[in-house]
Amino acid sequence: MKKILTVIFFSSILLVACTNSPPQMEGYMESEVIADFPIPEEAVTNDSSSNNPNLIYVGYDYEKVSATEGIPQDYQDAITEWGWTENEAERMGAFRVFEKGTRSVGFSFHEGWFALHEDTED
């Protein structure tokens, strides 16, 4: 009986640990700046910045995004797979907002690069 309880206990810990980590999708990794948000592995951090001290901000060079074509479907699928949903009411031109729980991440896309930002104020 003690062995069964021990197995159940450690199985529960393993299940919780696996549930809280982002999904492992080939070709995507977690942003080093915006936690739990997927970034294409071929995207490279660029030197774009924000003067707003209330934002966590990061830019990425990624040739598959553009202001006219938007976010590639496979990247949109990865964002959804990682548990983020688009707030379509916030959509404006080349700007999207993705939400997960109480978090909100702005996604602006340009010719060959994109930027993510998250508000640090509560």
Side-chain angles (χ1 to χ4, degrees):
M1 181 69 165
K2 191 175 184 180
K3 239 181 198 180
I4 292 173
L5 290 175
T6 302
V7 169
I8 291 172
F9 174 75
F10 284 112
S11 296
S12 299
I13 290 174
L14 182 61
L15 181 63
V16 169
C18 290
T19 311
N20 290 333
S21 62
Q24 297 299 312
M25 290 184 64
E26 191 171 322
Y28 296 92
M29 61 187 176
E30 182 177 16
S31 169
E32 67 275 5
V33 178
I34 307 290
D36 197 29
F37 198 90
I39 300 300
E41 288 180 348
E42 58 210 61
V44 178
T45 307
N46 64 28
D47 61 356
S48 64
S49 63
S50 170
N51 292 327
N52 185 339
N54 298 319
L55 287 181
I56 299 170
Y57 181 96
V58 61
Y60 292 94
D61 290 327
Y62 183 56
E63 65 184 41
K64 294 182 181 176
V65 298
S66 75
T68 55
E69 298 297 320
I71 306 167
Q73 187 61 51
D74 60 333
Y75 189 15
Q76 290 181 52
D77 293 344
I79 294 168
T80 301
E81 183 71 28
W82 282 48
W84 295 87
T85 56
E86 183 180 351
N87 179 340
E88 294 189 18
E90 298 285 335
R91 183 184 277 210
M92 291 186 337
F95 181 75
R96 305 284 184 269
V97 174
F98 294 96
E99 298 173 337
K100 183 175 187 178
T102 60
R103 295 179 56 208
S104 182
V105 172
F107 188 118
S108 60
F109 44 96
H110 312 273
E111 294 303 320
W113 71 282
F114 65 93
L116 301 175
H117 67 82
E118 186 171 20
D119 198 348
T120 60
E121 294 183 329
D122 290 326

